[in-house]
Every structure is written in C-alpha cells, then in structure tokens.
Amino acid sequence: MNINFNDTIAAISTPKGSGGIAIIRISGGAAIDIAAQFCQCNIPLPRAKSWRVYLGKFYFSGEKLAEQQQSTYDQVLITIFRAPNSYTKEDIVEISCHGGEYIAESILRSLIQGGARLAMPGEFTLRAFINGRIDLVQAEAVADLIKSQNDLALQNSNRQLEGFLSTMIENFRNRLVETISLLEVELDFAEEDLEFTSRDKILELLNEIIQSIQKLIGSFSREKLVRQGVKVVLAGKPNVGKSSVLNAMLSENRAIVTDIPGTTRDVLEETVNIHGINFRLFDTAGIIESRDPVEIEGIRRTKMNIQDADILVMIFDGSQNLTAEDEAIFQLIRQFRDSKKIVIVINKSDLPNAIDKIDFKEFDSTIDLLKISALNSSGLEDLSTLLVSYLDDLKSQVTDEFILTNIRHKNALEKGLASIQHAKNSIVNKLSGEFVVSDLKIAFDYLGELTGVITSEEILNNIFSNFCIGK
Ligand SMILES: Nc1nc2c(ncn2[C@@H]2O[C@H](COP(=O)(O)OP(=O)(O)OP(=O)(O)O)[C@@H](O)[C@H]2O)c(=O)[nH]1
Ligand SMILES: [Mg+2]
C-alpha cells in the first residue's frame, strides 16, 4: 500500500455530480494551515475553535492573491475538528460548498496545490483505524452502513460500529488468555508433573468459548436477510394468479399474466419496500407434472427458490375445486411448515367460491389463511400486514444478538474455532499441555486478525480499497 500517514489528505466526500451542497474534507497535521491559505472568515482559521462552523469565502487561487486582484471564490461553511476529537483523530477541516462539480473540484485542486495530497479510497477511515479510534470490524461497519438497503441492515451495521462485535471478540480472546495462563503455570512446573487446574475445568472453559463462537458463526446463515431483505416466494399450481399477485403488490404490470396455464416459465424477482424493509418477491412457474423440458426446468427453479425462501406464499384459485394437482402444493406446505413462515392465499375471491377454509383444516391454527383478489386488490393490505408481522418474528430471533454479515469475519472465526477444537481434542486425548497452549495461541491470533490487533498490508488493502474516496 505504501501510504504516508504524515501527509495531510484531502478529498471530496460527497458523490460526484451536482447537488445542494458538496463537502471537501482535509485531514492531517497541516489541514488547518492549508485551508487557511484559501479561506477568508471573520477570524483566521488557525485561531478558529474546534467543533465550530464558520461562514467564509474560499478563494480558488489563494487568499493573498485575492487581495491584489479579483479572484474567483465560493461562499462556504468551514467546520474545524481539532485533534484528537475528530473522525481520524487528526485535525480535520470540512468545507461545505455549493454543490457544483466544478466548484468542489476547484476547491480540491486548490487544496492540493496548497500542500495536501489526494486521499486514497477509505483513507480517512483507515486513519481512524491506524490512530486507534476504531478497530477493523468497526471500520468495515462504516462501509456496510453506507451500503445498507433497509432498516435491519442499518441497525446491524450500527451495532457493529458501536463495538458490539468487537466486544464479543475481545471477550473470546480474554477467555483464551485466561485458559492459556492456567495451562502455562503448569508447564512452568512440568518436571514436577503437577496439575493445577483440573482438565474438566479447562474443558468447560473451552466448551463455553466454542459454543459462543459457533452461535456467532451460525448467525451468518441469516446474512442475506440483513443485506438483501426478506425472500418471499409466490408458489402454486399454474393459473392460480401468482403473477397477478406479484403485479398487484408492485402496483405495476411487471409479470406477464394470461389465462393460459404455464405462462410464467422462469423465476422473476422484484423488490417492494414495506415499512422500511425490503421484501424480495419471487414469482415462479406453476407446479405441475410436466413433460415439457422448459416447464420441467422452470419447476426445478421454483423448488430451488422455495428451499431458499424466508416466507412462502402458497396461492390457490378459490374459484376452482381442488384437484389432484393441488396435492403437490399441500405436500410442499407439509414439508416446510416447521421451517418457514407460510401463508395460504385463496385468490380470485371476486369470483364465486369453490373452495373454502374447511378444505385446509389439516393446517388449522398453525398456518395463516387469507382470501384475496389480485384482480381488484382486495385483501392485499392484509397480506402486507402479515408479511411484516412474519418479519417481526424473524427479527425477534436476531435483534438481541448480532448477525455476522462479513465473510472475512466468518472465515477468521472458523479458523479460530478449528484451533480451539483441536486444543480440546488434545486435552481429551491427554496430550501434553504444550500442544494445547500452542493451538490456543493460534486461535488467539486469528481472532486478533479480525479486530486488527494483528494485521497485514494485504488485509488492509482488501478492506479499504472497497471504500469510496472521501470516506
Ligand atoms: N377473476 C380473477 N381473475 C384472476 C385473479 N387473479 C388472476 N386472475 C386471472 O387468472 C389468470 C391467470 O393469472 P396469472 O397471474 O397469469 O396466474 P399464474 O399463477 O401466474 O399462472 P402461471 O404463470 O401460468 O403459473 C389470468 O387470466 C388472470 O387474469 C383474480 O383475483 N380474480
Ligand atoms: Mg405466472
């Protein structure tokens, strides 16, 4: 990476293009002096107070020059954050200018002529990490926060930024140190063949750590729920109105609807936002015994998506009597009733009823049943409300805890876990304490890599090259 952290850096922190305002950030020992060359405020910037905003003019060709000749400027707001009470723990100046691309770029160009260097992607956050303001998983949380697409993702990243995950990892490491020191005391007296702490006590300590790490790794299985939103699969026999329900929920004619059974052949995905949460709706090919290779492939895809769903909306045509073909759908409901949220939807309620709740009595009280009409949109509100309530259930499994969403974290935890399990086996097999200690130290280091206590240029490069410039 070869970055010089003694440089003072500058970047435009707002997105490219024009907007209401743009913000240029400068961080480093010379930040205030560099900005002062260009800014005219009611007091000279070097005397400005920390955490204050000053109204002033930014002269593109420098303040001194401006005294002699008319110089181009923009009226700006200048915020000063003095070290160490700033994002990077260095002096920071933030210049809020009018949000024109030309203005922001001119200001940046001036600052660079004045002695600043263009910041690398994520360098402000990298400096926050290097200067000990946040650890590595907190730095990664900043990137996740910016990418968040829904409330759940935002809450989870905020928790990570506040140090929820860091504290858990530090706790694992502390418990490892505790175990290692118990074992090391013994090793010091090895010749006397003493056993200070019972092996059962050590095993108990390790089992506790193993369980906590396994639980954390297990939360990664819900990572998609956080990052992408809730997966809702609309499934049923052909022609029951799956595509019509999708269109009605989106309020647009996204999917092709015809009265010909087998219209939808491939899986179609669209997102609706209900109460701040993204629901990813999947319209699927109708499930039926088929010989048509295209239909067979469509149905295979339907079933794959059903496997992967958080919520299944099983749709029936309320205007037709149930037939043998419905048995396949009943079968799927039985298969997934314990592992997924399922709602049975009887569609086409605008037509005379041919089936009713009684036909579904097998699922009484365990599975919700709704009558709707995709044609005139009746019952759709109830369906949305039900989906949100399911999400509340899914969320309540996770809100107290934390959901691991970063594959780097999962990998490091898995490596650490494997070493701890190895250590445990050594104890069970009555191997020498030295082997146990060595494995536990390896685990300790893997967990240290996570928070960045131990780090390499490669890891930092991987993480920060994915940041935007100016963050
Ligand atoms: N009366 C009435 N007709 C509906 C309703 N929903 C869908 N239909 C009609 O039912 C037929 C099939 O609708 P689709 O939405 O294509 O059904 P599908 O389940 O997606 O069908 P496939 O893609 O073939 O599996 C169309 O003619 C729709 O207009 C409804 O609520 N009421
Ligand atoms: Mg369809």
Side-chain angles (χ1 to χ4, degrees):
M1 200 160 14
N2 251 336
I3 294 183
N4 184 349
F5 291 114
N6 294 320
D7 292 343
T8 292
I9 53 171
I12 302 173
S13 288
T14 38
K16 247 185 130 43
S18 45
I21 58 166
I23 296 177
I24 297 97
R25 270 217 283 210
I26 319 158
S27 178
I32 296 173
D33 286 342
I34 292 175
Q37 299 169 47
F38 304 92
C39 296
Q40 205 175 62
C41 308
N42 52 0
I43 62 164
L45 276 195
R47 292 206 341 251
K49 291 203 170 110
S50 188
W51 289 20
R52 286 281 177 88
V53 185
Y54 296 88
L55 178 67
K57 286 180 178 167
F58 188 103
Y59 286 96
F60 297 159
S61 44
E63 201 193 337
K64 292 276 150 19
L65 248 154
E67 284 168 10
Q68 294 144 29
Q69 62 193 71
Q70 281 294 334
S71 170
T72 329
Y73 69 86
D74 184 39
Q75 193 169 50
V76 295
L77 286 175
I78 304 156
T79 317
I80 306 284
F81 304 86
R82 288 188 186 271
N85 299 315
S86 76
Y87 184 61
T88 54
K89 285 189 122 181
E90 302 168 340
D91 280 349
I92 287 189
V93 179
E94 276 186 14
I95 300 172
S96 308
C97 62
H98 290 99
E101 216 170 327
Y102 179 72
I103 300 173
E105 279 173 5
S106 301
I107 291 178
L108 180 64
R109 202 175 312 118
S110 302
L111 294 169
I112 288 176
Q113 273 162 15
R117 153 170 80 70
L118 189 62
M120 310 283 287
E123 193 175 346
F124 292 90
T125 309
L126 175 59
R127 287 182 177 210
F129 164 66
I130 300 273
N131 295 331
R133 180 156 146 56
I134 50 174
D135 69 20
L136 211 47
V137 297
Q138 289 174 305
E140 286 168 305
V142 174
D144 289 344
L145 201 71
I146 292 171
K147 278 191 235 134
S148 293
Q149 298 281 349
N150 62 62
D151 282 2
L152 204 56
L154 195 54
Q155 286 161 9
N156 206 61
S157 320
N158 265 330
R159 210 166 289 157
Q160 187 172 327
L161 183 56
E162 280 165 11
F164 196 90
L165 179 58
S166 313
T167 311
M168 275 200 276
I169 295 163
E170 270 324 292
N171 188 4
F172 298 150
R173 293 183 96 224
N174 289 340
R175 286 196 273 168
L176 283 177
V177 171
E178 193 188 323
T179 318
I180 290 170
S181 41
L182 287 173
L183 287 161
E184 274 180 339
V185 174
E186 269 176 45
L187 290 176
D188 288 344
F189 295 91
E191 275 154 34
E192 288 151 56
D193 210 12
L194 289 173
E195 197 176 281
F196 287 80
T197 317
S198 83
R199 285 297 173 260
D200 286 347
K201 165 82 181 149
I202 303 264
L203 279 177
E204 194 186 311
L205 276 169
L206 291 185
N207 277 333
E208 270 174 32
I209 307 175
I210 288 172
Q211 272 170 21
S212 313
I213 297 183
Q214 274 172 338
K215 191 165 168 227
L216 189 54
I217 293 174
S219 72
F220 191 78
S221 65
R222 291 194 291 257
E223 159 271 344
K224 274 201 189 138
L225 184 71
V226 175
R227 250 180 343 108
Q228 302 177 350
V230 191
K231 178 163 181 170
V232 181
V233 172
L234 311 174
K237 256 184 357 181
N239 227 35
V240 295
K242 300 177 293 298
S243 302
S244 304
V245 172
L246 176 90
N247 289 346
M249 291 189 75
L250 296 172
S251 307
E252 64 173 280
N253 284 330
R254 174 70 183 82
I256 300 173
V257 167
T258 74
D259 56 4
I260 306 161
T263 303
T264 307
R265 302 208 144 195
D266 207 345
V267 179
L268 206 110
E269 177 186 349
E270 281 297 326
T271 301
V272 278
N273 189 295
I274 312 175
H275 298 193
I277 297 294
N278 287 352
F279 286 86
R280 298 156 64 216
L281 304 180
F282 288 73
D283 179 23
T284 60
I287 295 168
I288 194 169
E289 284 288 328
S290 171
R291 297 217 175 137
D292 174 357
V294 181
E295 257 178 16
I296 291 172
E297 176 57 20
I299 293 164
R300 191 187 68 81
R301 291 181 186 202
T302 301
K303 290 191 172 161
M304 248 171 53
N305 276 282
I306 288 178
Q307 294 276 353
D308 205 27
D310 298 305
I311 301 173
L312 287 179
V313 178
M314 292 306 215
I315 305 178
F316 292 84
D317 181 343
S319 69
Q320 305 285 324
N321 288 318
L322 292 175
T323 65
E325 288 162 0
D326 289 291
E327 186 46 34
I329 312 301
F330 276 90
Q331 203 55 52
L332 284 169
I333 298 176
R334 283 184 209 113
Q335 186 182 345
F336 291 107
R337 64 187 298 175
D338 295 328
S339 57
K340 294 186 192 298
K341 298 278 170 196
I342 302 183
V343 51
I344 292 172
V345 165
I346 303 178
N347 187 32
K348 309 198 188 181
S349 65
D350 53 291
L351 297 174
N353 266 349
I355 53 177
D356 216 324
K357 290 189 178 173
I358 193 78
D359 296 304
F360 298 90
K361 62 177 182 306
E362 172 187 354
F363 306 113
D364 255 7
S365 75
T366 50
I367 292 181
D368 291 306
L369 189 143
L370 268 186
K371 285 193 171 192
I372 69 164
S373 164
L375 187 73
N376 62 22
S377 289
S378 74
L380 279 185
E381 274 293 312
D382 297 337
L383 182 56
S384 296
T385 309
L386 210 54
L387 294 183
V388 172
S389 77
Y390 290 162
L391 175 75
D392 287 340
D393 284 353
L394 291 168
K395 255 187 0 187
S396 72
Q397 304 165 0
V398 301
T399 37
D400 291 346
E401 319 161 24
F402 170 79
I403 301 179
L404 209 60
T405 55
N406 186 317
I407 189 80
R408 182 183 83 84
H409 302 170
K410 180 172 173 260
N411 289 342
L413 284 167
E414 277 171 346
K415 286 184 191 156
L417 179 66
S419 295
I420 299 171
Q421 272 163 334
H422 203 243
K424 181 183 154 185
N425 290 340
S426 301
I427 296 179
V428 172
N429 295 324
K430 304 204 164 15
L431 296 185
S432 150
E434 278 169 56
F435 295 116
V436 182
V437 166
S438 141
D439 278 330
L440 294 182
K441 283 186 174 165
I442 293 173
F444 183 76
D445 285 352
Y446 277 129
L447 298 181
E449 265 182 27
L450 249 179
T451 49
V453 185
I454 302 165
T455 190
S456 70
E457 212 168 89
E458 194 193 341
I459 297 179
L460 292 184
N461 236 339
N462 278 342
I463 294 174
F464 289 95
S465 58
N466 290 320
F467 273 68
C468 359
I469 289 197
K471 186 66 241 176

